[in-house]
């Protein structure tokens, strides 16, 4: 067999394997009262005639990713797998309610619900349709924000409505009748949309708990004239609430303008059912206006809201070390939320999901500065990956511990004992490279074992005993550099997931190089000189670097892939 031709075919195979790597059990739903409406009874929420309290995550990206906090890939629709994984994780963590901004708000981009003024995008509704269906199947409720963050919009999502109507002053979002009418047109299109998967119009779907008017948009109205125009700003809350209720008689209306924090008249609006705000000690220096956010802040606001006969929830709060430096600090916050019956619900910011191929979704609003990540706008501090990931602001160990505190808190808010962690579903191996293995992680898994079966053997050997996490994917077989060619290309692998209680999943399906690829590798061909072969290998190496690094893989892992590939090629040349 011609060695250089084998080398060439090996290099082509390496590149093909890398390309395949880039392209290549649900939690049981609680469906009691699943098709009934969550209702308001004075200052309480009820479901099926019983008091309804909740804790759950914010999952901002269920409608469109990288619309609010951006990332390197830019706006894109989430996959069904990402949506299901996030909602499975939320359910496993005890959530009853999920809040999502982009299920109601995306404007001004090609993939948005409303790409340009008055023009609506049917494709964008498909992600929202699926997320509502997926939430319903898991017994989860949704709070959907109508205007919020937009990283590429001046003045956020509000800025698009202003630009469409020739306005620049952010205050005109609340005051200008043409801007208000444009926002109402967006709301009407959303509420009247019929879900293509369920056949139910959004306005008629009890999976949705509430429509939220905005994402703390009152900050845009701050200034010396706030008190002088307070009545007009408060009127905006009722204008939007009344419009919603003229179309939708069933859903609750949530005010997240934050106006009540600056003028108590914001609590007198008749159409409002729920009043909420957002809580981040992280931002106190910039947006605290001299006030310090503490565990007592929640009850203080709950007292203000319920005194006016409204429901109070805390729809956003930080969970991380930049907000609450120690786990004890954070536990005090959760206990304060649980122990105050005036607090009907709460939501932490923000839960992420497994990526389609392997590992986790990209961190949104990425930052490379440790200092900045501890005071600025970055997913390095707010992104929660169940099981834990080391970021610039949090350690994996601390993140995992705080996720378990959130899980216990969610069940406490629901008034139920904390159950054992569900046994994870089997992982799915998405690619097998030379000494490299990638799998799609599963909800509820905190660690994985990898087993290998060598050719001509019937025994599975555990080569990674609970040594890998989703942050380690793709996983590198450290034995690969010393394997024979037969084992390097012929070994099978499978993966087992473990939950926080140490309970294992069933093994994944096995994965190995295909016989077709091996036959091509072994087939003869024209002789090539070593210079050409070296050039081919260099091209393949660059290919691996480009695609693995683009997907977020660590450079050290890519370097290992290169070293193992070189070892394999040298071994082939020694035939």
């Amino acid at each position: 067999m011609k060695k250089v031709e084998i080398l060439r075919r090996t290099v082509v195979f390496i590149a093909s394997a890398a390309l395949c790597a880039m392209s290549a059990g649900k939690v049981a739903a609680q469906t009691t009262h699943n098709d009934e409406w969550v209702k308001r009874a004075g200052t309480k929420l009820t479901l099926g005639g019983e008091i309804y309290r909740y804790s759950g995550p914010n999952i901002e990206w269920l409608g469109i990713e990288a619309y609010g906090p951006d990332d390197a890939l830019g706006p894109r629709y989430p996959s069904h797998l990402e949506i299901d994984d996030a909602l499975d994780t939320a359910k496993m963590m005890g959530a009853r309610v999920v809040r999502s901004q982009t299920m109601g708000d995306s404007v001004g981009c090609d993939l948005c619900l409303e790409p340009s003024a008055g023009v609506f995008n049917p494709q964008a509704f498909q992600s929202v349709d699926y997320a509502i269906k997926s939430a319903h199947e898991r017994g989860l409720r949704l709070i959907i924000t109508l205007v919020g963050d937009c990283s590429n919009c001046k003045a956020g999502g509000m800025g698009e409505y202003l630009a469409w109507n020739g306005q620049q002053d952010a205050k005109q979002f609340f005051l200008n009748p043409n801007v208000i009418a444009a926002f109402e047109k967006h709301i009407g299109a959303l509420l009247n949309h019929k879900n293509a998967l369920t056949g139910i119009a959004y306005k008629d779907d009890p999976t949705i708990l509430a429509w939220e008017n905005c994402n703390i948009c009152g900050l845009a109205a701050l200034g010396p004239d706030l008190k002088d125009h307070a009545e007009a700003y408060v009127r905006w809350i009722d204008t939007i609430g009344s419009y919603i209720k003229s179309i939708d008689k069933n859903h609750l209306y949530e005010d997240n303008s934050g106006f009540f924090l600056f003028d108590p008249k914001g609590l007198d609006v008749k159409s409002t059912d729920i009043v909420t705000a957002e809580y981040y000690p992280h931002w106190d220096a910039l947006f605290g206006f001299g006030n310090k956010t503490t565990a007592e802040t929640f009850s203080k606001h709950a007292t203000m809201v319920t005194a006016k006969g409204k429901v109070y929830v805390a729809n956003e709060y930080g969970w991380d070390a930049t907000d609450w430096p120690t786990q004890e600090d954070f536990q005090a916050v959760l206990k304060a939320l649980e122990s105050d019956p005036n607090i009907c619900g709460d939501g932490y910011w923000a839960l992420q999901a497994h990526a389609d191929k392997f590992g986790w979704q990209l961190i949104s609003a990425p930052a490379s500065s440790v200092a900045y990540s501890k005071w600025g706008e970055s997913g390095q501090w707010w992104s929660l990956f169940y099981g834990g990931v080391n970021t610039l602001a949090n350690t994996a160990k601390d993140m995992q511990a705080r996720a378990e505190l959130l899980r216990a808190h969610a069940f406490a808010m629901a008034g139920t004992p904390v159950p054992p962690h569900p046994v994870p579903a089997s992982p799915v191996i998405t690619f097998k490279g030379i000494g490299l293995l990638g799998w799609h992680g599963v909800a509820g898994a905190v660690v994985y074992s990898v087993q290998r079966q060598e050719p001509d053997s019937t025994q599975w050997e555990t080569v990674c005993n609970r040594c890998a996490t989703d942050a380690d994917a793709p996983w590198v077989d450290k034995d690969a550099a010393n394997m024979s060619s037969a084992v390097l290309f012929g070994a099978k692998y499978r993966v087992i997931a473990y939950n926080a209680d140490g309970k294992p999943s069933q093994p994944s399906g096995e994965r190995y190089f295909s016989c077709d690829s091996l036959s091509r590798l072994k087939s003869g061909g024209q002789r090539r000189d070593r210079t050409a072969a070296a050039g081919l290998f260099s091209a393949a190496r660059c290919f691996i670097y480009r695609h693995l690094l683009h997907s977020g893989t660590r450079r050290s892992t890519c370097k290992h892939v290169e070293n193992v590939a070189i070892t394999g090629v040298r071994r082939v040349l020694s035939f």
Side-chain angles (χ1 to χ4, degrees), residues 377-389:
E377 176 84 347
S378 176
Q380 293 284 352
W381 59 270
W382 74 59
S383 296
L384 180 69
F385 301 90
Y386 181 81
V389 171

Side-chain angles (χ1 to χ4, degrees), residues 324-554:
W324 318 103
T326 69
Q327 292 174 31
E328 290 73 21
D329 294 333
F330 186 43
Q331 183 67 71
V333 170
L334 299 180
K335 289 298 182 184
L337 292 165
E338 293 165 22
S339 61
D340 189 341
N342 285 331
I343 300 174
C344 291
D346 63 69
Y348 55 91
W349 182 277
L351 185 65
Q352 300 297 117
H354 290 100
D356 275 355
K357 303 305 178 186
F358 55 81
W360 296 104
Q361 291 176 317
L362 296 177
I363 289 179
S364 56
S368 58
S369 163
V370 173
Y372 179 81
S373 73
K374 293 183 177 180
W375 72 264
E377 176 84 347
S378 176
Q380 293 284 352
W381 59 270
W382 74 59
S383 296
L384 180 69
F385 301 90
Y386 181 81
V389 171
N390 287 317
T391 70
L392 296 181
N394 300 291
T395 67
K397 183 178 180 180
D398 189 55
M399 186 182 294
Q400 182 178 355
R402 291 178 187 239
E404 294 302 331
L405 293 179
L406 284 165
R407 181 174 186 265
H409 167 66
F411 285 106
M413 288 292 286
T416 60
V418 181
H421 295 80
V423 174
S426 298
V428 176
I429 296 177
T430 53
F431 79 97
K432 162 69 173 70
I434 299 178
L436 198 67
L437 194 69
W439 61 85
H440 181 269
V442 292
V446 298
V447 71
Y448 300 84
S449 289
V450 180
Q451 296 182 330
R452 185 179 67 223
Q453 185 185 78
E454 298 190 359
D456 303 322
S457 173
T458 60
Q459 301 298 314
W460 286 97
E461 176 189 3
T462 299
V463 293
C464 163
N465 186 14
R466 306 190 198 188
C467 76
T469 70
D470 289 301
D472 299 319
W475 172 82
V476 173
D477 189 339
K478 296 180 180 178
D479 298 332
N482 299 313
M483 290 178 180
S484 68
S485 297
V487 174
L488 188 64
F489 293 105
K492 301 176 183 178
Y493 291 85
R494 66 185 189 184
V495 181
I496 300 170
Y498 291 82
N499 67 16
D501 299 330
K503 301 296 183 182
S505 69
Q506 291 296 311
S508 70
E510 62 190 38
R511 188 69 178 262
Y512 59 98
F513 279 129
S514 70
C515 294
D516 180 59
S517 297
L518 288 174
S519 66
R520 290 199 304 271
L521 191 66
K522 294 177 180 177
S523 63
Q526 261 189 338
R527 183 178 183 84
R528 307 282 179 172
D529 62 52
R530 289 177 181 269
T531 301
L536 283 168
F537 181 81
S538 178
R541 178 185 62 187
C542 292
F543 181 91
I544 291 168
Y545 267 78
R546 184 184 309 117
H547 286 275
L548 289 181
L549 286 174
H550 178 71
S551 68
T553 301
R554 294 187 300 257

Side-chain angles (χ1 to χ4, degrees), residues 74-376:
R76 60 198 180 279
Y77 298 127
S79 69
H80 290 182
L81 189 150
E82 288 176 307
I83 292 171
D84 288 345
D85 183 87
L87 296 179
D88 281 340
T89 302
K91 189 68 179 179
M92 181 276 302
M93 291 180 67
R96 304 177 87 182
V97 176
V98 169
R99 176 176 175 260
S100 183
Q101 289 188 35
T102 61
M103 290 180 69
D105 164 50
S106 63
V107 291
C109 70
D110 290 343
L111 299 182
C112 287
L113 290 168
E114 190 174 1
S116 57
V119 177
F120 296 91
N121 179 4
Q123 187 180 10
F125 279 97
Q126 293 176 12
S127 290
V128 184
D129 287 354
Y130 186 82
I132 292 173
K133 177 178 178 289
S134 184
H136 182 265
E137 290 171 349
R138 290 157 176 78
L140 294 167
R141 308 291 171 141
L142 298 164
I143 294 175
I144 296 178
T145 310
L146 299 172
V147 64
D149 297 333
C150 173
S151 60
N152 296 308
C153 305
K154 184 178 179 181
M158 298 188 305
E160 289 301 298
Y161 296 102
L162 293 167
W164 290 340
N165 289 276
Q167 301 294 319
Q168 295 184 347
D169 183 357
K171 297 181 180 65
Q172 294 304 311
F173 182 77
F174 310 99
L175 305 176
N176 186 285
N178 292 331
V179 175
I180 292 172
F183 183 37
E184 289 179 339
K185 186 170 185 177
H186 178 91
I187 295 170
L190 187 73
L191 271 59
N192 286 309
H193 173 77
K194 181 178 287 188
N195 190 317
L197 300 176
T198 67
I200 303 172
Y202 290 0
K203 65 183 179 182
D204 298 323
D205 195 330
T207 307
I208 299 166
L209 187 153
W211 300 110
E212 181 182 271
N213 54 15
C214 66
N215 185 55
I216 207 70
C217 57
L219 291 176
L222 295 181
D225 64 336
L226 176 61
K227 289 190 176 181
D228 295 337
H229 296 86
E231 185 177 341
Y233 293 127
V234 170
R235 188 183 308 121
W236 177 88
I237 302 172
D238 193 47
T239 297
I240 301 305
S242 297
Y243 179 76
I244 290 172
K245 293 190 172 185
S246 72
I247 300 171
D248 182 347
K249 305 296 184 184
N250 293 307
H251 286 110
L252 302 176
Y253 171 52
E254 180 169 293
D255 173 31
N256 187 29
S257 66
F259 282 132
F260 85 96
L261 298 172
F262 309 102
D263 191 316
K265 294 186 182 71
L267 298 174
D268 295 329
V269 176
K270 292 183 179 180
S271 60
T272 301
D273 298 296
I274 306 169
V275 177
T276 186
E278 302 176 9
Y279 302 89
Y280 297 97
H282 180 101
W283 290 123
D284 278 351
L286 287 176
F287 303 116
F289 308 104
N291 299 313
K292 183 175 176 58
T293 304
T294 68
E296 290 72 37
T297 303
F298 302 95
S299 288
K300 176 183 176 182
H301 290 174
T303 298
M304 294 170 59
V305 172
T306 55
K308 294 290 187 173
K310 311 293 186 185
V311 172
Y312 170 80
V313 303
N315 73 347
E316 273 192 38
Y317 59 89
W319 59 268
D320 62 286
T322 73
D323 283 294
W324 318 103
T326 69
Q327 292 174 31
E328 290 73 21
D329 294 333
F330 186 43
Q331 183 67 71
V333 170
L334 299 180
K335 289 298 182 184
L337 292 165
E338 293 165 22
S339 61
D340 189 341
N342 285 331
I343 300 174
C344 291
D346 63 69
Y348 55 91
W349 182 277
L351 185 65
Q352 300 297 117
H354 290 100
D356 275 355
K357 303 305 178 186
F358 55 81
W360 296 104
Q361 291 176 317
L362 296 177
I363 289 179
S364 56
S368 58
S369 163
V370 173
Y372 179 81
S373 73
K374 293 183 177 180
W375 72 264

